[in-house]
């Protein structure tokens, strides 16, 4: 039983690491508006599916790591990931029992909050305004991609009996 527990933790962290690697891949400026926040999506899945294993501390740690890799001010993504984790963990039982298309709408809203918090912190810290209506496209892509991420990670969770 102890070996299964270690494998479960390893698989969770491996999926989060893959999400981080995909998140830090640079995209060309023409397509950057379509770039999904894959780390947020993978983190959201584990926060909804297993909130007792993946919580605020994991979200904070992933935010710090993303700050280090992306070169932003240390703590920006950590704060935002903690806010996202709070939003998802607050009603995880409700979100878990919704239909997949309804979950997709909630993930769209959470992604929009993520983008708006990044904008707000940029304004507060850097005093630059870099918002455009194109952030809705990124959030929409996250909402659509949620269906694929959810089904894929649920398949992995069931295959390895992660609980």
């Amino acid at each position: 039983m102890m070996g299964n527990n270690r494998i479960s933790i390893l698989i969770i962290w491996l999926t989060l690491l893959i999400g981080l690697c995909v998140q830090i891949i640079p995209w060309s400026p023409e397509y950057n508006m379509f770039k999904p926040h894959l780390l947020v999506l993978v983190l959201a899945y584990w926060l909804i599916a297993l909130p007792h294993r993946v919580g605020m501390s994991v979200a904070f740690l992933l935010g710090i790591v993303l700050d280090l890799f992306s070169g932003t001010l240390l703590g920006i993504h950590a704060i935002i990931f903690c806010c996202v984790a709070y939003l998802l963990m607050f009603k995880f039982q409700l979100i878990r029992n919704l239909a997949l298309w309804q979950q997709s709408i909630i993930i769209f809203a959470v992604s929009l909050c993520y983008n708006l918090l990044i904008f707000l912190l940029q304004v507060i810290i850097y005093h630059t305004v870099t918002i455009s209506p194109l952030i809705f496209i990124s959030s929409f892509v996250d909402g659509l991609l949620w269906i694929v991420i959810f089904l894929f990670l649920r398949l992995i969770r069931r295959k390895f009996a992660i609980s």
Side-chain angles (χ1 to χ4, degrees):
M1 190 55 125
M2 188 59 130
N4 189 24
N5 190 23
R6 288 184 182 162
I7 290 173
S8 299
I9 292 170
L10 181 67
I11 290 172
I12 291 170
W13 279 101
L14 184 64
T15 58
L16 290 168
L17 180 67
I18 291 170
L20 174 69
C21 290
V22 173
Q23 181 76 34
I24 62 175
I25 293 174
W27 285 34
S28 66
E30 303 91 44
Y31 301 110
N32 199 31
M33 70 185 112
F34 299 110
K35 183 178 181 182
H37 304 104
L38 196 65
L39 181 58
V40 175
L41 294 175
V42 173
L43 179 65
Y45 175 80
W46 291 118
L47 285 168
I48 293 168
L50 301 171
H52 61 281
R53 293 246 179 163
V54 179
M56 295 285 256
S57 57
V58 173
F60 185 81
L61 180 67
L62 287 172
I64 291 290
V65 171
L66 185 60
D67 285 333
L68 290 172
F69 279 116
S70 63
T72 58
L73 192 63
L74 196 61
I76 288 181
H77 283 98
I79 292 169
I80 295 171
F81 277 22
C82 284
C83 291
V84 166
Y86 176 76
L87 289 172
L88 292 171
M89 289 175 65
F90 183 65
K91 293 287 186 181
F92 78 94
Q93 289 177 334
L94 173 72
I95 297 170
R96 183 187 292 174
N97 291 322
L98 292 174
L100 198 52
W101 67 271
Q102 292 170 325
Q103 288 181 8
S104 182
I105 292 170
I106 289 175
I107 294 299
F108 167 77
V110 167
S111 177
L112 195 59
C113 288
Y114 173 82
N115 287 329
L116 291 174
L117 283 172
I118 286 179
F119 165 72
L120 183 66
L121 289 175
Q122 281 179 347
V123 168
I124 291 171
I125 295 169
Y126 301 120
H127 303 291
T128 59
V129 177
T130 58
I131 193 166
S132 74
L134 300 178
I135 65 166
F136 289 108
I137 294 173
S138 174
S139 298
F140 184 72
V141 169
D142 287 345
L144 289 178
L145 194 58
W146 170 252
I147 297 168
V148 176
I149 295 295
F150 176 85
L151 294 174
F152 178 70
L153 289 177
R154 186 175 66 175
L155 179 74
I156 288 174
R157 194 179 95 209
R158 288 183 177 171
K159 180 177 173 100
F160 292 101
I162 300 172
S163 59

